[in-house]
Amino acid sequence: VTRSSVDEGHSWSDRQVIVEARPNEEGVVLKWNCPRIQRLEDGRLLALCDVFPCPPGEDTDLTNSHVVFWWSEDEGESWSGPQHTSVFGIMPDRVVELPSGAWLWATHVRMKGGEYDRQGNLTQIAHRSEDRGETWEGPFIVGRDERYHLCEGSTVLLPDGELVCYMRENSGKNYPAFKAFSSDEGRTWEGLYETPMSGCHRPVAGLLPSGKMLVTYRYRQAGSIGSYHAGRQSAEATWIDRRLISYWARNTFAYLETAESAKARELGKQGGIILPLDHDRSPRSDGGYTAWAVLHNDRIFCVDYIVDDAPMAQIRGYWFGENDF
């Protein structure tokens, strides 16, 4: 669904449904996983989401997921689509419009020994389009390392044309976010490089009007959370583990760094300021999935998925600026 606001996020319209999922005759549900919305350079709005079939009682392979588009030319009043793409994987990043006119789009999958394998490590990939989303080439490997689980990448085009992709590391061992760089519009990538953002999950990065880099993210401290990361247990066991291990997904942060820090490879040449945005007090805490936009007065409006004092979950909004750091 979408909601719209004409007062910078203080009040919101009723729900507008873009797509619904219901079981078919065999009980299979198409699950819509991670939606995003952005304004393209031509003024259109682009909504996108990954979708995968989920048969009753079965897990899914990330390569069964693909990404779907919808378009709006009237500020979200109406939407055309869905336009199914050949881009596979989950957790799609925003589309990056490149200087050449091409598009770059990041998702993640599991790979083992260079092959797609549901038991393999999480791997960050990207696809490119030379015809504004009609066809796609790739995947191109952004981040893959047998030591790490690299996923949920957020890619930013820097002023000099270089690309940087910030990635979540999902081992639960308090590794920081990693980043990789591309100087050929996403065809090849250099890195991995550590960042100062320890325990960073689901980074959402972008440049502010000042030229500084803002990254919002969930903080995930080290420690085992049992079957949640095993990913093969029942939903009931997952929630039991979350209640017992009560530090899961409690805090949402924003990180502000200079453009020089964003481009730096060595950890000693990076640095920024971390601003706490919220704390999830629920025994079923699950916050830290964010998105943000810069308002006309250069203030930042950020939304976060959080449980806290809601029965299941809620979307909560925040306003802040660079001076709050």
Side-chain angles (χ1 to χ4, degrees):
V1 302
T2 64
R3 296 178 187 264
S4 60
S5 173
V6 295
D7 57 6
E8 299 187 336
H10 291 276
S11 63
W12 292 85
S13 69
D14 293 335
R15 294 156 50 98
Q16 178 186 12
V17 176
I18 295 182
V19 65
E20 287 186 301
R22 300 186 183 278
N24 63 16
E25 294 180 355
E26 289 76 36
V28 177
V29 177
L30 287 178
K31 290 197 172 182
W32 301 94
N33 180 42
C34 186
R36 292 186 188 264
I37 190 168
Q38 67 185 96
R39 184 181 298 279
L40 298 172
E41 292 178 359
D42 62 13
R44 292 180 299 167
L45 294 180
L46 170 64
L48 56 93
C49 191
D50 59 307
V51 61
F52 53 87
C54 192
E58 295 185 22
D59 201 354
T60 185
D61 184 340
L62 301 190
T63 56
N64 286 339
S65 180
H66 71 280
V67 190
V68 177
F69 282 157
W70 295 264
W71 311 90
S72 177
E73 298 183 3
D74 55 9
E75 301 292 328
E77 292 292 327
S78 63
W79 294 89
S80 59
Q83 176 182 333
H84 292 260
T85 77
S86 61
V87 175
F88 57 89
I90 69 168
M91 302 297 293
D93 189 16
R94 291 165 296 192
V95 168
V96 179
E97 297 182 83
L98 300 169
S100 67
W103 287 5
L104 184 75
W105 205 4
T107 59
H108 74 257
V109 294
R110 287 186 179 272
M111 298 187 74
K112 187 175 183 180
E115 301 293 331
Y116 300 109
D117 188 320
R118 65 192 304 170
Q119 302 300 324
N121 284 29
L122 294 172
T123 300
Q124 189 68 50
I125 61 174
H127 289 75
R128 283 174 47 90
S129 174
E130 302 285 348
D131 52 14
R132 303 184 64 78
E134 293 295 327
T135 60
W136 295 87
E137 58 177 332
F140 304 95
I141 301 297
V142 179
R144 181 176 65 193
D145 192 302
E146 294 301 320
R147 297 170 294 176
Y148 306 125
H149 287 275
L150 301 165
C151 59
E152 299 184 353
S154 181
T155 308
V156 180
L157 178 66
L158 298 172
D160 63 1
E162 187 174 45
L163 291 164
V164 58
C165 181
Y166 295 86
M167 289 167 277
R168 164 179 174 171
E169 203 293 318
N170 203 38
S171 298
K173 299 178 180 179
N174 211 41
Y175 289 123
F178 287 87
K179 61 183 178 182
F181 296 88
S182 176
S183 56
D184 59 5
E185 294 199 334
R187 297 179 179 88
T188 60
W189 291 83
E190 169 208 349
L192 300 164
Y193 298 100
E194 292 188 8
T195 76
M197 292 179 284
S198 63
C200 171
H201 276 201
R202 216 301 190 108
V204 179
L207 292 174
L208 298 178
S210 67
K212 292 183 179 179
M213 181 74 73
L214 175 68
V215 186
T216 54
Y217 64 97
R218 166 205 285 164
Y219 172 68
R220 159 75 166 100
Q221 69 192 77
S224 171
I225 53 172
S227 65
Y228 181 76
H229 273 296
R232 296 294 182 267
Q233 303 297 322
S234 68
E236 180 181 2
T238 296
W239 287 121
I240 290 172
D241 281 343
R242 287 195 184 182
R243 292 189 184 100
L244 293 175
I245 311 300
S246 60
Y247 53 73
W248 165 252
R250 289 281 181 174
N251 297 296
T252 302
F253 291 163
Y255 172 77
L256 185 69
E257 65 178 346
T258 64
E260 291 76 18
S261 174
K263 286 183 64 65
R265 273 64 167 171
E266 298 176 22
L267 189 59
K269 294 182 179 180
Q270 301 177 57
I273 302 173
I274 293 173
L275 176 70
L277 292 181
D278 211 338
H279 179 75
D280 194 331
R281 300 164 293 173
S282 171
R284 299 168 64 168
S285 58
D286 195 26
Y289 278 68
T290 59
W292 55 267
V294 179
L295 304 177
H296 73 280
N297 58 1
D298 289 347
R299 294 283 287 174
I300 299 150
F301 180 66
C302 178
V303 292
D304 182 22
Y305 167 94
I306 187 172
V307 182
D308 199 31
D309 57 354
M312 292 296 291
Q314 61 186 289
I315 305 297
R316 186 178 284 177
Y318 315 81
W319 297 264
F320 59 94
E322 285 191 35
N323 58 348
D324 293 307
F325 290 82

